[in-house]
Amino acid sequence: MIYINLMLHLAVIGFAKAVALPQTVAILSNGIKDWLSPPYTPFQAPLTIMSTSLPKATYTEPVNGTVIDFFEIDIRQFTAQTYPVSSGVGPTTYVGYDGMAPGPTLRMTRGREAVRTLWYHDHAIGITAVNAYFGQAGFYILTDPEAPTTLPSGDYDVPLMIAGKQFNNDGSLFSPVDERVSLYGDVITVNGVPWPYHQVEPRKYKFRLLDASISRSFNLYLIDEANPSVRLPFVVVGADAGFMDHPVTTESLIIAMAERWEIVIDFALYQGKRLVNRAVLMNERKFQTNEDYPETDKVIKWIVGSIVTSDVNNGPLPTHLADLKDPGSHTTIEHQFVFERSNGQWLINGVGFEDIPNRILAKPPQGGVERWRLVNKSGGWSHPIHIHLIDFKVVSRTGGSRAVEEYEAAALKDVVYLGENEIVEVIANYQPWGGVYMFHCHNLVHEDHDMMAAFNVTDLDLSAFGYPDNTTFTDPMAASWRSKPRLTATDLQDIQENVLPLFAGLGAYPSTEGVEHALQEYYVDHVPTDGIPPNLKARNEVPPQAAGVFGYSKPPARVLLGVDIRLTLQYDV
C-alpha cells in the first residue's frame, strides 16, 4: 500500500501561456508536412533513465502485517535545455513531479497479483492534456521478487516513455491548451529526450514501452540501419496487465496513447552494428490519423557494444509466462458504446463527462462478467479506450484494416486502440471492488472535451459468504480526502505516528483473494445482471442540482478514479 503526499508549488501558474500562433504548414512530399518545431537532427543525445523515488516513511500494520510506504512528490516548474545549445534554441519550461519530466519512477513489490508496468499522470478534469504534456507523468512499476521468470532484469530492464511534442522557435513547448482535435507533435521524445541513442551490450534487454503522447499513436518496427528495407523480429512478453500468457514474436507493434507493451530484443544477434528502432506509420508512414513530419518515422537508436558484463537472465525465453485471469467466453453484449464527435464535443453514446445526470452508462454487478462493444464510426480519427478498474480480453476487431493482433490475443489489457471505422469487443470481470469508475478516450484532447463517462460496479452483500465489507473509504471529494493547502514542511513524525496508522486502519482494500472467492460462491446461486438496460443513452436518474461529483447525491460504497491515477492519497499495491 502506498500513501503519496502531493505538493503543488504556485509557481506553476501561467505555464500554459506558451502558445504559438496558428501556422501554415508546407507539404514536402508524400503527405509529409514541414517542421512545426525548430528542426532537430535525431540521435544526438543519450537516453536518460529516470531515477527511482524512495519512500520517506514506512509503517507496518501490527495485526496483519500490511506495509504502507509514504512518498512525497513535489510538482515544480523547471527549465531544461531540450535542444542542443549549439542550435541556438533556448531552454524549455516544463512542470514535472519533483522537477523532472518524466517524473521519478515508483517501484513497488506485489505478491498476489500480476506484476505490470503502470504509469501515473495528472487527471485534472478539463486540463489533463496540458498537465501531462508539460511533464506530469511517470512510470509506476510493480514487481514480484518471487515471480518465476528468466526475463532480463536490473539494468537490462529499461522503461521507455515515448511522446510526441511540438516546440516553439524559442524552445518553449507549444501548448495544447486551445487544441480541440489532436496535437500529434513533430518531435518524438523518449524519456524526455528527442530521438535519443542508447548504448547496449550484445545480450537480451527488456524494454517497457509506454505511449505517453496526448494524441500520437505508433506502429513500431525494428531495422538494422545498414539494411533498412528488412524488418527484424522481436518478442512481446508483457502488456497493460502484466506478463502475457506466452511470448509472441512479431516484426511490428502498434502502441496507442496509454498502452504499455514489454518487448525483448536480443542484441547479440547484431553485435557491432547500429540499430534504429523506427516508429513507422503504416502505408508509407500513413498510420491511422497521425500527421507525418520529416523525422516522425524514427524513435530511438541502439548502439551495440562488444562486451557482456552480466549473463543473468540472458537465457532462452520461457514458453509460458503467466496464468492469466481469463474472464472466459461470453457471447452476450451487455453494452455498445459509440465514440463520436458532435457539435464540437467528443462524446460517448451522446454523453460527455459534464453531463452529470447521465454519465454513468453501465452498472455491472460486482464480480459480473460483461462484453462491451466499442464503436468508432469515423474515418477521421481514432481513440485509445481506457477502462479503469479491470483488465479485459480483446476478443474481436472488425470494420477497419486489421483484426485482433496476435500479441493482443495473448494478453489482458486496460487500454485498447479503436482505430478508424473499427468495432472492438472486450470481455471483463468487474471485480474485485465495487464503486464508480471512469472509462474514456486516452487521446487527452478528446478526454478533456469531453469523451469520458463512468460505470458503477454495484456492491454486493457478501457477509453471508464470510466476507463483510466494512470499508469507510468513500467519496474522494469528501472533506476528509480532498487536497488541503499546506505551507509548512512535512512532519514525518506525524506521518509515521498518525497518518499512516489511520490509513492502515481503514481496511479500504482487504484481501483480493478473499473478495474474489466470496464472489465465486455468491454466483453459484445468483445471476449477474447489469443495472442499466443495454445501449440506453440517457436516463436522467439524478437531478443536476442534487448530483455529487460522480452523479450521486449520496456517494456509493467506494469511489475510485482508476489505475492510471497514481497520485491519490492511497493506492493498494
Side-chain angles (χ1 to χ4, degrees):
M1 190 175 292
I2 176 176
Y3 173 93
I4 298 181
N5 190 34
L6 181 61
M7 298 176 61
L8 174 62
H9 279 203
L10 296 180
V12 304
I13 294 176
F15 75 88
K17 293 182 179 178
V19 183
L21 296 175
Q23 298 163 287
T24 301
V25 183
I27 305 298
L28 300 180
S29 63
N30 297 323
I32 299 173
K33 298 182 178 182
D34 200 0
W35 289 94
L36 297 172
S37 304
Y40 189 109
T41 301
F43 317 132
Q44 298 183 61
L47 178 71
T48 297
I49 307 297
M50 290 74 70
S51 61
T52 297
S53 183
L54 300 176
K56 291 191 173 182
T58 297
Y59 174 80
T60 301
E61 203 278 326
V63 176
N64 57 25
T66 299
V67 176
I68 302 180
D69 289 327
F70 171 79
F71 291 81
E72 185 172 69
I73 293 180
D74 190 0
I75 300 177
R76 292 199 301 267
Q77 179 175 302
F78 68 99
T79 59
Q81 189 65 44
T82 306
Y83 277 71
V85 174
S86 59
S87 69
V89 178
T92 307
T93 298
Y94 297 95
V95 180
Y97 300 119
D98 282 348
M100 300 168 53
T105 298
L106 300 177
R107 295 182 183 270
M108 308 293 160
T109 58
R110 192 175 205 167
R112 293 188 303 272
E113 298 185 41
V115 299
R116 62 180 70 193
T117 301
L118 299 166
W119 65 307
Y120 63 96
H121 67 80
D122 177 79
H123 219 307
I125 293 176
I127 57 170
T128 300
V130 170
N131 289 344
Y133 180 80
F134 271 84
Q136 293 181 46
F139 275 98
Y140 188 105
I141 297 174
L142 299 180
T143 60
D144 184 353
E146 298 180 0
T149 176
T150 58
L151 297 178
S153 59
D155 292 340
Y156 307 102
D157 181 348
V158 182
L160 299 179
M161 183 182 292
I162 306 170
K165 304 283 188 181
Q166 181 179 331
F167 296 85
N168 296 317
N169 289 333
D170 62 359
S172 62
L173 275 169
F174 179 95
S175 175
V177 66
D178 293 324
E179 183 57 62
R180 294 297 180 269
V181 179
S182 289
L183 196 159
Y184 297 104
D186 58 341
V187 175
I188 306 304
T189 64
V190 182
N191 294 355
V193 180
W195 296 289
Y197 65 84
H198 183 205
Q199 301 274 359
V200 295
E201 299 177 10
R203 56 151 291 162
K204 291 186 177 71
Y205 280 72
K206 183 174 77 170
F207 296 99
R208 299 173 185 261
L209 306 180
L210 159 66
D211 183 359
S213 306
I214 61 172
S215 300
R216 179 175 289 279
S217 56
F218 297 86
N219 184 12
L220 303 172
Y221 69 83
L222 187 66
I223 65 167
D224 183 337
E225 191 176 45
N227 190 11
S229 63
V230 177
R231 297 190 178 194
L232 304 174
F234 54 92
V235 182
V236 187
V237 296
D240 306 337
F243 291 139
M244 293 160 40
D245 176 83
H246 58 274
V248 174
T249 300
T250 184
E251 292 182 353
S252 65
L253 177 73
I254 293 172
I255 183 169
M257 298 77 84
E259 281 192 296
R260 290 90 65 207
W261 292 103
E262 299 179 23
I263 65 172
V264 173
I265 300 174
D266 188 356
F267 293 110
L269 302 176
Y270 318 111
Q271 185 172 349
K273 298 180 180 180
R274 296 190 300 174
L275 297 178
V276 181
N277 184 16
R278 293 181 184 260
V280 176
L281 307 174
M282 293 168 53
N283 299 325
E284 299 295 332
R285 299 165 55 111
K286 299 183 184 299
F287 175 58
Q288 295 291 321
T289 57
N290 298 276
E291 294 178 348
D292 298 338
Y293 296 95
E295 301 291 354
T296 51
D297 62 334
K298 304 175 182 67
V299 177
I300 184 173
K301 175 184 287 187
W302 285 292
I303 300 176
V304 185
S306 58
I307 300 174
V308 175
T309 59
S310 173
D311 265 322
V312 174
N313 290 343
N314 192 31
L317 299 181
T319 57
H320 177 69
L321 293 167
D323 294 323
L324 304 184
K325 291 186 176 181
D326 193 322
S329 59
H330 186 82
T331 57
T332 301
I333 297 173
E334 275 75 16
H335 291 285
Q336 173 172 298
F337 298 113
V338 178
F339 296 81
E340 57 195 346
R341 195 179 192 202
S342 177
N343 296 322
Q345 277 193 305
W346 300 97
L347 304 174
I348 305 173
N349 283 4
V351 175
F353 200 66
E354 292 181 356
D355 187 358
I356 295 175
N358 297 307
R359 66 186 178 191
I360 294 180
L361 300 183
K363 289 185 176 180
Q366 185 180 6
V369 174
E370 293 197 351
R371 185 175 183 134
W372 290 6
R373 175 177 287 165
L374 314 176
V375 179
N376 178 15
K377 295 180 179 180
S378 171
W381 45 74
S382 55
H383 308 289
I385 306 305
H386 176 35
I387 305 176
H388 290 216
L389 171 68
I390 49 89
D391 299 325
F392 54 75
K393 179 169 64 174
V394 183
V395 294
S396 173
R397 177 180 283 110
T398 58
S401 60
R402 64 193 181 105
V404 177
E405 303 289 346
E406 184 181 356
Y407 47 81
E408 282 183 301
L412 292 179
K413 303 273 292 159
D414 59 40
V415 181
V416 65
Y417 195 26
L418 185 61
E420 297 173 276
N421 298 305
E422 286 187 350
I423 298 174
V424 173
E425 294 181 8
V426 300
I427 299 175
N429 191 330
Y430 289 80
Q431 65 175 22
W433 315 117
V436 178
Y437 301 83
M438 298 183 296
F439 68 106
H440 57 87
C441 174
H442 224 291
N443 180 324
L444 295 182
V445 176
H446 298 180
E447 176 189 321
D448 282 345
H449 306 284
D450 190 35
M451 193 172 271
M452 181 162 62
F455 59 97
N456 178 15
V457 180
T458 308
D459 278 303
L460 301 179
D461 181 2
L462 301 176
S463 58
F465 302 91
Y467 207 87
D469 185 357
N470 57 0
T471 183
T472 58
F473 186 72
T474 54
D475 187 348
M477 297 303 289
S480 297
W481 311 118
R482 298 190 76 158
S483 59
K484 302 173 179 62
R486 183 170 56 79
L487 303 177
T488 59
T490 302
D491 184 346
L492 289 180
Q493 183 175 353
D494 178 61
I495 296 293
Q496 188 78 51
E497 296 178 357
N498 299 303
V499 176
L500 295 185
L502 168 66
F503 273 82
L506 289 175
Y509 301 93
S511 168
T512 299
E513 291 179 342
V515 173
E516 293 177 351
H517 180 72
L519 287 168
Q520 290 176 357
E521 289 189 316
Y522 177 88
Y523 284 117
V524 170
D525 299 314
H526 296 78
V527 176
T529 303
D530 193 293
I532 295 179
N535 309 325
L536 189 67
K537 282 195 172 185
R539 303 186 323 281
N540 278 313
E541 65 177 32
V542 180
Q545 66 272 16
V549 65
F550 286 96
Y552 282 85
S553 56
K554 179 181 179 182
R558 187 185 279 108
V559 179
L560 303 175
L561 292 183
V563 299
D564 65 346
I565 307 296
R566 296 298 163 230
L567 296 178
T568 52
L569 288 178
Q570 183 180 1
Y571 183 72
D572 178 39
V573 297

